[in-house]
Amino acid sequence: MIIVLRPKTREEDKNRIIDKIHSLGLKTMISQGVERTIIGVIGEEDIMRVQPMEAFPGVEKVIPVLAPYKLVSREFKPEDSVIKVKGVDIGAKRVVVMAGPCAIENLETLRDIATAVRKSGALILRGGAFKPRTSPYSFQGLGLEGLKIMKEVADELGLLSVTEVIDPRDVELVVKYADIMQIGARNMQNFNLLKEAGKSKKPVLLKRGMMSTIKEFLMSAEYILSEGNFNVILCERGIRTFETYTRNTLDINAVPAIKMLSHLPIIVDPSHATGKWGLVCAVSRAAIAAGADGLIVEVHTHPEQAASDGEQSLNAENFDKMVKELTAIARAVGREI
Ligand code: PEP
Ligand code: MN
């Protein structure tokens, strides 16, 4: 349930409503819009249905939120959320490009890749230090050493960084080194990890599980918001379908659907969505045309030598070409890169 207050509601009237909700054993989350304040009621709300909340001074309307996700819903926050990460706004006019290797391999290679993607217009460096690999025999990432390399390169080049956290016990460590923590497709329903990420105030890039519905995806985001962290960026990265030619199938529908259902920004990962570098550019064009707020792209200076996902990584030249092409698409839909 959300309670919409009238413009210019007095602080004491607002507090009286909040106190009433708390006295029923429920939590509140406040969405402070330009015009209006909205109070989100968190918890089992059945008890609220019999409360005459409209009778409280300051209440304009009470809206039962039928969707199971509340805080991520457009009803709760009608305006788009803009996630601010050290001067970079995600969810604003500018389409934000995140790029880098699948895995951090060593300092020199990451520096080369980062230098290239920065030159082409990427603002955020991606790279995994903890890799959730399908096979236990595949490269698992450099761990803490990888985080240190990432921070060194990002600081040196003035880039922000995003890296995956796969264990709730590592959240603190990852946020110490990276600007955005990524929760990957395989962990989208790792609820302890989501809760831990929610307790931190650091931005979270939440990727859609490969077998998750849009509703389940938004419920996972709800876990993070319900712990008090509203800095969530969603990422559509393809889902598993009967098609096997591509690694996954990009659910392009998810971009406008999520824009409709939620205020959170949504970006697209064309690399994992396709699994083939030759498809990345076309799919990225589609993502921006559909309204994506950004892209996260795998790029490697020598894809044939990459420790993981080389087959879906763009080389520096193709990445540069792609960003130039995307500039025109962005402009056509009223955005910029
Ligand atoms: C990644 O971004 O490196 C990754 C493993 O992606 P996903 O979780 O979407 O498979
Ligand atoms: Mn990868």
Side-chain angles (χ1 to χ4, degrees):
M1 170 182 292
I2 58 177
I3 299 169
V4 183
L5 303 188
R6 290 181 202 288
K8 304 199 180 75
T9 293
R10 293 182 313 170
E11 211 45 35
E12 62 240 55
D13 288 338
K14 183 172 101 180
N15 289 337
R16 200 168 304 129
I17 298 162
I18 293 171
D19 289 346
K20 173 70 187 173
I21 298 166
H22 290 172
S23 75
L24 297 168
L26 299 163
K27 286 203 287 182
T28 50
M29 286 283 179
I30 312 295
S31 165
Q32 189 67 60
V34 187
E35 288 265 307
R36 279 179 169 70
T37 301
I38 297 176
I39 302 173
V41 182
I42 318 299
E44 286 299 332
E45 308 177 1
D46 287 354
I47 192 169
M48 283 299 289
R49 289 189 226 291
V50 293
Q51 304 295 322
M53 295 312 292
E54 276 104 340
F56 279 74
V59 173
E60 185 172 283
K61 56 185 168 186
V62 175
I63 308 173
V65 180
L66 298 176
Y69 41 85
K70 317 282 178 200
L71 302 174
V72 308
S73 72
R74 274 270 174 213
E75 285 107 321
F76 177 61
K77 187 167 180 286
E79 321 81 49
D80 288 343
S81 281
V82 176
I83 311 301
K84 295 179 177 299
V85 198
K86 288 190 184 161
V88 173
D89 288 355
I90 301 164
K93 186 172 181 188
R94 187 172 197 178
V95 173
V96 175
V97 180
M98 313 182 184
C102 178
I104 299 160
E105 296 163 11
N106 56 62
L107 180 66
E108 290 69 35
T109 307
L110 189 68
R111 187 185 278 134
D112 287 351
I113 297 168
T115 306
V117 299
R118 179 179 177 271
K119 204 166 131 239
S120 301
L123 300 176
I124 303 178
L125 178 64
R126 66 145 288 149
F130 298 103
K131 294 303 302 174
R133 302 307 298 277
T134 302
S135 164
Y137 309 118
S138 300
F139 178 55
Q140 303 288 308
L142 297 180
L144 176 58
E145 191 198 339
L147 294 179
K148 288 182 177 164
I149 292 174
M150 180 116 185
K151 181 158 174 49
E152 184 176 336
V153 171
D155 286 352
E156 191 180 305
L157 296 172
L159 288 163
L160 301 184
S161 60
V162 55
T163 196
E164 183 162 356
V165 56
I166 58 178
D167 188 321
R169 292 167 297 187
D170 289 334
V171 165
E172 222 176 294
L173 183 73
V174 167
V175 301
K176 192 170 143 202
Y177 288 95
D179 299 303
I180 304 171
M181 69 180 119
Q182 175 175 322
I183 295 183
R186 289 158 194 79
N187 275 309
M188 190 206 82
Q189 287 190 315
N190 181 339
F191 300 115
N192 286 334
L193 182 59
L194 297 173
K195 283 191 225 166
E196 213 47 47
K199 284 183 194 131
S200 155
K201 294 293 165 277
K202 274 268 182 156
V204 180
L205 176 64
L206 177 66
K207 298 186 86 175
R208 180 178 180 182
M210 61 189 90
M211 283 161 298
S212 302
T213 62
I214 289 172
K215 186 164 137 187
E216 287 162 341
F217 187 21
L218 293 175
M219 286 309 286
S220 289
E222 184 82 9
Y223 261 91
I224 304 172
L225 270 69
S226 71
E227 293 290 337
N229 188 354
F230 275 64
N231 295 315
V232 175
I233 304 148
L234 301 169
C235 177
E236 162 61 40
R237 47 76 74 204
I239 51 174
R240 200 162 264 188
T241 65
F242 58 79
E243 183 54 69
T244 54
Y245 176 70
T246 47
R247 184 174 179 179
N248 291 290
T249 299
L250 179 75
D251 181 11
I252 196 79
N253 299 353
V255 175
I258 284 172
K259 284 267 163 223
M260 217 163 69
L261 298 170
S262 176
H263 52 87
L264 296 173
I266 167 112
I267 69 165
V268 163
D269 173 346
S271 311
H272 293 87
T274 60
K276 288 177 156 62
W277 72 264
L279 303 181
V280 165
C281 184
V283 164
S284 298
R285 289 198 299 257
I288 294 179
D293 296 301
L295 294 170
I296 180 162
V297 188
E298 287 186 340
V299 178
H300 201 290
T301 39
H302 299 282
E304 69 289 355
Q305 291 166 19
S308 69
D309 287 349
E311 64 287 354
Q312 66 190 35
S313 299
L314 292 178
N315 64 23
E317 187 190 337
N318 285 329
F319 177 68
D320 190 65
K321 226 164 78 191
M322 178 178 89
V323 177
K324 289 198 171 87
E325 281 182 38
L326 294 177
T327 309
I329 305 276
R331 207 173 298 132
V333 293
R335 308 288 290 262
E336 57 193 42
I337 284 195

